[in-house]
Amino acid sequence: MKQKDIALIVVIAAISAVISVFASKALFSTPKGLSAQVETVEKISADFPQPDTRYFNEKSINPTTNISIGDSNNNDPFKK
């Protein structure tokens, strides 16, 4: 490679670098003009209020208890 070829490659690389800088500034926006509004979240606390006594009291129905209707001694009710 001759010295002129190396110099030409360096000049073309420098010119393409300058062009790419200007092109990137024109195509991509800067963060200065961008803004966004976001909602803030309240701080989570470990303190919980007492549950409502209309639903959680001593007279409430406990859905986890077993319910049996009548006295059934039949161990296999679906057998014919």
Side-chain angles (χ1 to χ4, degrees):
M1 220 184 248
K2 295 183 180 180
Q3 192 170 0
K4 286 183 178 181
D5 294 337
I6 294 174
L8 183 63
I9 291 173
V10 170
V11 169
I12 291 174
I15 292 173
S16 64
V18 170
I19 291 173
S20 66
V21 167
F22 287 119
S24 66
K25 285 184 181 179
L27 293 176
F28 303 113
S29 64
T30 59
K32 293 176 188 175
L34 300 177
S35 66
Q37 293 189 6
V38 294
E39 296 179 18
T40 57
V41 179
E42 295 179 17
K43 184 178 178 181
I44 297 175
S45 174
D47 300 327
F48 290 103
Q50 291 293 327
D52 193 0
T53 56
R54 290 182 295 172
Y55 307 112
F56 298 98
N57 57 39
E58 295 295 324
K59 297 178 184 176
S60 296
I61 298 173
N62 186 358
T64 61
T65 58
N66 291 330
I67 298 173
S68 61
I69 301 173
D71 294 328
S72 176
N73 294 330
N74 189 359
N75 293 334
D76 196 8
F78 299 109
K79 188 175 181 181
K80 287 187 176 183

